[in-house]
Amino acid sequence: MEQFAAGRILRGRYRLERILGRGAMGHVWQGTDVYLERPVAVKTVAADLLALPDRRGTALARFEREAKAAAHLDHANTTTVYDAAVTEDVCCLVMQLVDGTTLDNVVDYAATTDPHLVARLVGELHELLALPLDEGDYALAAAELGMEVGPPEPFSYGAWFQAVAVTLAGG
């Protein structure tokens, strides 16, 4: 499995530039499609995770499922998937690069957005949190919501959704 570092070019086309976020399964990089000369986000699976024979199959299957699910999404609030690879040499998902957010930005959002819209979002987050999901399911939900960067340290996806819901609710 390929090791990832800034400056590395994946699939002869995608140059990794800097890490935008870390998640349970790997990293999301800011990169450049050197052929089309456009910025991209590149999600990679951690090489150490794939090096464990008892976890490799599960990790690759989850990553492939996420890539296919994300590729079928067509909505203004989701990122566009440009390319994906799940091979012995490289495991990556190449997407549209979008600006991310922090919890401080969530506070600003709550203060400047229609309260009815904020209440609706809080309700939807609480419904999501009420489901019997594990962290992998929350990560997939985040991808489906267009959140292509892992939650900021030290949050897991579930804890990040909880923090956002509480913050938006004014708690």
Side-chain angles (χ1 to χ4, degrees), residues 5-91:
R8 183 83 185 218
I9 296 182
L10 303 180
R11 299 179 49 97
R13 183 171 177 172
Y14 306 108
R15 183 179 55 245
L16 302 177
E17 294 170 0
R18 68 182 181 95
I19 294 175
L20 295 174
R22 291 175 172 81
M25 288 192 60
H27 300 91
V28 175
W29 294 80
Q30 179 176 330
T32 298
D33 179 335
V34 296
Y35 179 72
L36 294 177
E37 300 176 344
R38 67 177 171 185
V40 294
V42 181
K43 184 172 187 176
T44 59
V45 175
D48 58 337
L49 178 66
L50 297 176
L52 303 170
D54 59 324
R55 297 182 70 189
R56 181 181 174 86
T58 302
L60 288 174
R62 178 175 279 173
F63 189 82
E64 186 173 351
R65 190 171 58 245
E66 177 186 340
K68 289 179 179 179
H72 285 91
L73 296 175
D74 184 19
H75 190 275
N77 294 332
T78 62
T79 61
T80 301
V81 172
Y82 297 143
D83 194 7
V86 179
T87 69
E88 289 300 315
D89 297 327
V90 66
C91 190

Side-chain angles (χ1 to χ4, degrees), residues 107-147:
V107 172
D108 292 343
Y109 172 82
T112 59
T113 302
D114 180 322
H116 294 97
L117 181 59
V118 172
R120 181 176 166 196
L121 177 58
V122 169
E124 290 177 4
L125 285 170
H126 282 294
E127 287 178 20
L128 177 67
L129 291 165
L131 297 172
L133 303 176
D134 64 20
E135 281 304 311
D137 294 325
Y138 284 128
L140 186 56
E144 291 174 0
L145 292 170
M147 185 177 151

